[in-house]
Amino acid sequence: MFDHIALPTPYQTLALPSSVQLTIKRLDLIHPHISGNKFYKLKYNLLAAQQQGLTQILTFGGAFSNHIAATAYAAQHFGFQSIGIIRGEELATQDLNPTLQTAQDFGMQLHFVSRAEYRLRHEAEYLQQLQQQYPQAFIVPEGGSNALALKGTQEILSKDDQENYDVICCAVGTGGTIAGLIESSSAQQLVLGFSALKGDFLKQDIQQWTNKSNWSLTDAYCYGGYAKTNPELLQFMQYFEQQYAIPLEQVYTAKMMMGLFDLIQQQYFPENSRILAIHTGGLQGRLK
């Protein structure tokens, strides 16, 4: 269902003034609209919806959610209607940002709800109400992270990736991608996550999906929290694209790369470490 629309995934090794080897796996190029990790997260969710004979995909996200934009396109492409429950009722009276505009352009019905209502998105009673309201909907959680997503994200690492790298890095939003990477990583590899959100709660979420211990998570480079930036981060984005011709976005991938560059500069990694950083896409939300 998904595999036939995937493009080959290129690798790009960066020239660094360090003994560390840093290679980027360009999942942002796997598909122009179902970008990066979202391709893998949605794959088995949409297949399950199709097998159950459902006609709608309902999911949740904030105003800058890569998942919302990718779900809208994937649903349209595979013949589903899409519904997005969006955090922030005030957004209903504002101009749509690029992410939400993209989702709407691909046919997603956007429903803006209060933050209080949005907090109910994991509650069984609330989900049951939505299921009654939309009986033809297959409900996908925020960020697409569930057991079906984990099945998909375990496919991100190839056999060569498992054998040729010491460290696997990725940005972390809801935890489904890093959990899949942890599960498919080899025992000698370290999986290092750079959280886009402030706080330790994500560690507990990730631990629900894996029993392995070869991973760590840092929020030291979240720059205040989800979708927050500062001039230093935006300057780094500009520098990185000019230097390496790889576009980043400020919510996830720029924070990961800035954090990774800082750790390399601090000599956090042993000499001659081979690092694979996963570019998880989401470029439709990038500040121009």
Side-chain angles (χ1 to χ4, degrees):
M1 181 182 185
F2 261 56
D3 292 337
H4 73 282
I5 63 171
L7 299 170
T9 305
Y11 292 73
Q12 193 165 336
T13 298
L14 309 188
L16 299 177
S18 165
S19 70
V20 167
Q21 175 191 304
L22 174 57
T23 300
I24 314 294
K25 186 165 188 174
R26 298 287 306 276
L27 294 190
D28 57 307
L29 298 176
I30 196 171
H31 189 276
H33 298 296
I34 316 173
S35 175
N37 59 333
K38 304 309 175 191
F39 184 94
Y40 294 91
K41 282 185 163 187
L42 289 170
K43 178 178 177 180
Y44 292 105
N45 275 287
L46 266 65
L47 186 60
Q50 189 180 63
Q51 290 171 342
Q52 293 174 30
L54 299 172
T55 60
Q56 296 175 323
I57 304 294
L58 184 149
T59 195
F60 308 84
F64 300 93
S65 170
N66 299 328
H67 167 71
I68 286 291
T71 300
Y73 175 87
Q76 184 184 72
H77 183 82
F78 292 109
F80 296 97
Q81 296 176 332
S82 62
I83 301 152
I85 308 296
I86 310 298
R87 179 181 63 243
E89 58 191 344
E90 73 281 358
L91 297 172
T93 58
Q94 299 176 12
D95 291 339
L96 297 180
N97 67 23
T99 298
L100 296 178
Q101 187 63 60
T102 296
Q104 189 176 79
D105 289 346
F106 289 134
M108 179 174 275
Q109 300 173 36
L110 301 175
H111 293 284
F112 300 99
V113 301
S114 67
R115 283 161 173 74
E117 180 174 341
Y118 193 81
R119 282 194 289 271
L120 301 174
R121 65 194 180 280
H122 301 302
E123 301 293 330
E125 186 177 345
Y126 181 64
L127 293 172
Q128 188 176 17
Q129 289 174 7
L130 287 173
Q131 197 70 78
Q132 290 171 351
Q133 188 176 353
Y134 302 102
Q136 277 296 308
F138 185 91
I139 298 178
V140 178
E142 179 184 51
S145 291
N146 58 10
L148 291 167
L150 197 65
K151 183 179 178 182
T153 56
Q154 287 183 62
E155 297 176 357
I156 290 174
L157 293 184
S158 68
K159 185 177 180 183
D160 285 345
D161 296 340
Q162 295 162 340
E163 294 175 351
N164 295 334
Y165 296 96
D166 306 303
V167 183
I168 309 294
C169 296
C170 73
V172 180
T174 52
T177 298
I178 191 173
L181 293 171
I182 293 164
E183 284 295 280
S184 61
S185 65
S186 57
Q188 71 272 16
Q189 289 179 313
L190 167 67
V191 182
L192 176 58
F194 292 83
S195 178
L197 297 84
K198 197 166 184 62
D200 285 342
F201 61 93
L202 271 174
K203 290 182 180 178
Q204 298 170 3
D205 293 345
I206 294 164
Q207 285 169 341
Q208 294 175 8
W209 288 316
T210 182
N211 293 318
K212 295 170 74 173
S213 58
N214 63 326
W215 62 279
S216 65
L217 182 71
T218 177
D219 68 352
Y221 303 97
C222 71
Y223 296 96
Y226 179 68
K228 294 184 178 179
T229 62
N230 66 12
E232 184 185 8
L233 180 68
L234 300 179
Q235 287 167 11
F236 173 82
M237 279 177 62
Q238 186 177 30
Y239 155 79
F240 188 87
E241 181 164 353
Q242 290 172 347
Q243 188 78 11
Y244 302 109
I246 300 174
L248 303 175
E249 47 69 50
Q250 70 283 356
V251 180
Y252 295 102
T253 52
K255 293 179 178 182
M256 172 190 69
M257 290 308 309
M258 192 166 180
L260 191 47
F261 269 46
D262 185 54
L263 292 178
I264 291 171
Q265 189 174 30
Q266 292 180 36
Q267 299 182 327
Y268 175 85
F269 303 101
E271 283 191 21
N272 302 313
S273 292
R274 300 163 301 169
I275 303 172
L276 182 66
I278 308 298
H279 192 313
T280 48
L283 296 173
Q284 90 294 321
R286 179 170 174 262
L287 289 175
K288 306 303 183 196

